[in-house]
Amino acid sequence: MRLYFFFRSFAVRGFTLGTCTLGCMQFDIHRFYFGLVDLNLETSRFLSYLRVEPLDENTFQILQQGLFTYIQTEFVFGPAERSATCTSQYLNPICYSIDLLVTDSPPKQILAHSVPIFRLCLPFSISDLLQRSFLPYPTS
Amino acid sequence: MRKVSAMDEEIARVVQAVYIAADPSQDRALHSQALQYLSNVQQNSETWRLALSLFIEVAPDGTRKHSPQVRLWALRILEDFLDER
């Protein structure tokens, strides 16, 4: 996944140079410098990703289960941190932690995230769904 | 009666230390002792387990068990653990 972001960034930065109708490079020093700085940042992020030690299986499972259960109980079924004075105080760090857990996982662990992620999209089982009072007709 | 585990004792100590560290009206020596304790706890590579419990634990009434200060501290530990591995 990091690989995708890296190449996407590379492609976007490549366009910052552009060419004029005669085929020579349009040289806007500010855009070029901005693109170079950003490309440098992305490259260093990507290189640090290559050095990431995969979490051991036990740690990975505990973290994944804990964080995804938290999202489900709090944001799918629960009050979405209503008691917090400012929701972003939790949301920003929790999003960043999940981003790190998911996108910095080695390929064999990335696939393991797909099941809990899709489970978040399907919060109700069929029997649960049939018993919900919002259905306009009796189900029994 | 439930047996209190070492983890529960550690959690209770950390919670107390976070409260003391977050309260500027506390005695200065106690305040710096709490900060020192939290800093030592942060350096332990297994602290993420404790932090995960502190952040996600639920009270019997369904609300979060720990206060926002404690949960934010725990979340920062988790973030650092994932960021610095």
Side-chain angles (χ1 to χ4, degrees), chain A residues 24-81:
Chain A
C24 58
M25 302 298 277
Q26 275 182 339
F27 195 74
D28 177 347
I29 187 69
H30 301 294
R31 284 170 64 192
F32 177 73
Y33 183 70
F34 173 76
L36 205 60
V37 167
D38 210 27
L39 185 62
N40 181 32
L41 188 70
E42 283 299 323
T43 310
S44 61
R45 275 187 192 155
F46 179 68
L47 290 176
S48 68
Y49 165 65
L50 291 179
R51 287 193 296 270
V52 166
E53 288 281 319
L55 293 169
D56 67 83
E57 202 55 39
N58 186 31
T59 306
F60 176 76
Q61 277 184 1
I62 294 172
L63 274 171
Q64 190 198 44
Q65 198 180 349
L67 290 176
F68 280 99
T69 306
Y70 163 74
I71 291 175
Q72 191 165 42
T73 54
E74 196 64 43
F75 294 99
V76 179
F77 296 117
E81 296 288 2

Side-chain angles (χ1 to χ4, degrees), chain B residues 11-31:
Chain B
I11 284 178
R13 274 198 295 270
V14 166
V15 169
Q16 201 181 3
V18 172
Y19 282 135
I20 293 169
D23 183 2
S25 65
Q26 288 285 345
D27 174 54
R28 208 169 183 175
L30 190 65
H31 190 257

Side-chain angles (χ1 to χ4, degrees), chain A residues 73-74 81 90 93 96 100, chain B residues 64 68 71-72 79 83 85:
Chain A
T73 54
E74 196 64 43
E81 296 288 2
Y90 292 119
Y96 184 57
L100 288 171
Chain B
R64 295 286 155 192
R71 293 183 66 217
L72 274 175
E79 203 179 309
D83 207 7
R85 71 196 151 102

Side-chain angles (χ1 to χ4, degrees), chain B residues 42-62:
Chain B
Q42 280 177 36
Q43 282 160 18
N44 186 340
S45 61
E46 288 295 305
T47 302
W48 67 267
R49 288 176 193 273
L50 185 140
L52 187 66
S53 300
L54 284 171
F55 184 67
I56 65 174
E57 257 185 338
V58 180
D61 64 352

